[in-house]
Amino acid sequence: MSTQRDRARLLVDKHGRTFAAEASITLRDKPAPLWQLLVLTLLLSTRISSEIALATARELFSASWRTPQHLRESTWQQRVDALGRGGYRRYDESTATRLDEAAALLMDRWSGDLRRLRDEAEADSSRLSSLLQEFTGIGPTGADIFLREAQAVWPQVRPLVDPLVRKGAKAAELPEEARALAELVGEDEFANLASALVRIARDPALLDDLDS
């Protein structure tokens, strides 16, 4: 019989790829990749499939808008066109505006560096969530997405679980409490386990893979 640690290991190996990795973001504790994660979070925060959001993020980054400064150098129409190429058509016009607003806010208030936002919140997850929600288009769920991924490079907030991670943990018969869950994997793999559990929460049938 497999242990919870074994089960967590299988989850990480089979389903633990983060959304950032899928969007071709090499996540580091640096301004540019953290901005890219914020862009991805904005895209994932609308009622559109994660596959389209990921494809659209890759399209935006291929247009060289990998920093808020470069995004602000684009025109609204250029952003609309890029969003459309990624398949993000229902929300392309409003999102083109929100991306520019996000870049402006980040540059004006935190000098383009989300680490300054983290420091302002003193790495407190609830305060971080509130500050992230100051970006138009990011609500509580969006803040959860950002922090779930950012904890890979922000050990100050790790281990962090949100309702979707807890739902997945319950389905996988793993601990729902953050520290107990974190004990099942290496510290640098917790974000991957969280990503896997989100996938399980969305599609419990994926658990069948663990026994195959």
Side-chain angles (χ1 to χ4, degrees), residues 26-42:
T26 302
L27 194 57
R28 294 176 296 158
D29 191 22
K30 300 286 185 181
L34 290 170
W35 156 254
Q36 292 158 31
L37 178 59
L38 185 71
V39 169
L40 177 60
T41 298
L42 270 166

Side-chain angles (χ1 to χ4, degrees), residues 4-24:
Q4 288 186 330
R5 193 178 297 274
D6 293 333
R7 199 165 184 77
R9 177 78 265 151
L10 283 170
L11 281 164
V12 169
D13 291 345
K14 291 195 173 189
H15 305 298
R17 196 164 187 233
T18 64
F19 282 128
E22 288 194 45
S24 301

Side-chain angles (χ1 to χ4, degrees), residues 140-141 144 148 160-170 176 197-198 201:
T141 299
D144 286 345
R148 183 195 310 144
L160 188 149
V161 300
D162 54 65
L164 209 52
V165 173
R166 290 192 187 93
K167 181 179 178 181
K170 183 176 182 178
E176 297 175 52
L197 292 173
V198 166

Side-chain angles (χ1 to χ4, degrees), residues 11 46 86 93 106 170 182 194:
L11 281 164
T46 57
E93 295 187 355
L106 181 56
K170 183 176 182 178

Side-chain angles (χ1 to χ4, degrees), residues 118-212:
R118 178 197 64 203
D119 294 344
E120 180 179 327
E122 299 179 340
D124 177 83
S125 59
S126 62
R127 291 176 66 187
L128 278 165
S129 179
S130 295
L131 288 176
L132 287 165
Q133 289 177 61
E134 293 191 22
F135 292 97
T136 302
I138 295 181
T141 299
D144 286 345
I145 292 170
F146 183 92
L147 293 173
R148 183 195 310 144
E149 299 268 323
Q151 68 180 323
V153 294
W154 283 359
Q156 304 95 323
V157 303
R158 195 168 57 218
L160 188 149
V161 300
D162 54 65
L164 209 52
V165 173
R166 290 192 187 93
K167 181 179 178 181
K170 183 176 182 178
E173 298 180 352
L174 295 179
E176 297 175 52
E177 193 274 323
R179 297 207 174 275
L181 192 60
E183 289 176 0
L184 302 179
V185 294
E187 185 178 358
D188 61 348
E189 292 182 306
F190 188 74
N192 302 92
L193 178 58
S195 294
L197 292 173
V198 166
R199 289 182 170 85
I200 297 302
R202 291 176 170 173
D203 184 7
L206 292 174
L207 287 170
D208 297 341
D209 291 352
L210 302 186
D211 301 317
S212 60

Side-chain angles (χ1 to χ4, degrees), residues 81-93:
D81 292 345
L83 289 160
R85 289 194 300 272
Y88 210 87
R89 293 185 180 86
R90 285 175 56 199
Y91 303 98
D92 53 356
E93 295 187 355

Side-chain angles (χ1 to χ4, degrees), residues 41-54:
T41 298
L42 270 166
L43 296 174
L44 287 166
S45 292
T46 57
R47 294 184 179 182
I48 205 159
S49 74
S50 58
E51 290 78 11
I52 290 176
L54 290 162

